[in-house]
DNA sequence: CGTGAGCGA
């Protein structure tokens, strides 16, 4: 039982609520949505691509080891600056199937890793890579 | 007050 993994699943207990119902106990029900469409916010449709945030001090292997407990991680990568090499604070994890991806999200979203909270969500489909180098052929990433 | 809402060379 020697897990050097830093994936110490530490979920904040239901404590911390002190005076939640203070002076705001006036209008209770939801104030009808102000019809303000939320543009393209997070929460994309189910996909094997997972976007994980909170990996400032975590590495690709850390993410992989952490998410591998919920499914078969095909590939895990922590985005970092190519120039300096420091983590940008977020990464991506690709599962083998959508079920595993959902399980990974439900099981890792809002957990602590390396001392930082990590968020697991579906990543956006990236079919428009930055044309930094005009490249010769069109790079086509693997698709299930 | 252990919290950022962020999408990849």
């Amino acid at each position: 039982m020697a897990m050097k993994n830093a994936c110490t699943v530490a979920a904040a207990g239901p404590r911390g609520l002190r005076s939640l119902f203070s002076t705001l106990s006036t209008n209770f029900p939801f104030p009808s949505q102000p019809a303000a469409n939320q543009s393209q916010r997070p929460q994309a449709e189910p996909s094997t691509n997972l976007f994980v945030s909170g990996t400032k001090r975590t590495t690709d292997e850390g993410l992989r080891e952490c998410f591998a407990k919920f499914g078969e991680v095909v590939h895990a990568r922590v985005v970092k600056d190519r120039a300096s090499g420091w983590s940008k604070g977020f990464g991506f994890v690709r599962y083998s199937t959508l079920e595993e991806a959902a399980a990974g999200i439900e099981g890792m979203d809002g957990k602590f890793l390396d001392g930082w909270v990590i968020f697991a969500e579906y990543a956006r489909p990236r079919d428009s890579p930055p044309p930094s180098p005009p490249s010769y052929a069109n790079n086509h990433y693997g698709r299930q």
Side-chain angles (χ1 to χ4, degrees):
Chain A
M1 295 137 151
M3 283 223 177
K4 61 186 285 185
N5 196 346
C7 188
T8 34
V9 185
R15 60 196 70 197
L17 298 178
R18 241 165 264 262
S19 51
L20 195 65
F21 301 98
S22 294
T23 52
L24 284 178
S25 294
T26 27
N27 205 352
F28 146 73
F30 299 168
S32 293
Q33 210 59 16
N37 199 346
Q38 242 118 342
S39 253
Q40 264 188 327
R41 285 277 186 69
Q43 238 91 6
E45 56 184 278
S47 168
T48 54
N49 249 10
L50 256 60
F51 171 82
V52 183
S53 177
T55 59
K56 252 177 200 196
R57 295 200 85 164
T58 312
T59 56
D60 327 337
E61 295 181 352
L63 260 182
R64 187 185 191 112
E65 295 292 314
C66 208
F67 278 76
K69 300 186 300 190
F70 297 92
E72 182 181 358
V73 178
V74 179
H75 183 58
R77 160 194 258 178
V78 173
V79 181
K80 37 187 160 70
D81 189 81
R82 187 171 59 100
S84 57
W86 286 103
S87 178
K88 286 186 180 178
F90 61 91
F92 294 90
V93 176
R94 176 173 290 186
Y95 275 99
S96 180
T97 59
L98 300 178
E99 328 178 305
E100 295 175 334
I105 292 179
E106 295 294 320
M108 289 303 305
D109 178 53
K111 295 295 158 62
F112 274 78
L113 179 60
D114 281 357
W116 288 93
V117 193
I118 65 176
F119 296 105
E121 286 183 357
Y122 295 111
R124 306 172 176 171
R126 183 165 71 96
D127 49 2
S128 261
S132 357
S135 245
Y136 311 92
N138 186 9
N139 290 339
H140 189 252
Y141 288 77
R143 179 175 290 186
Q144 192 174 359

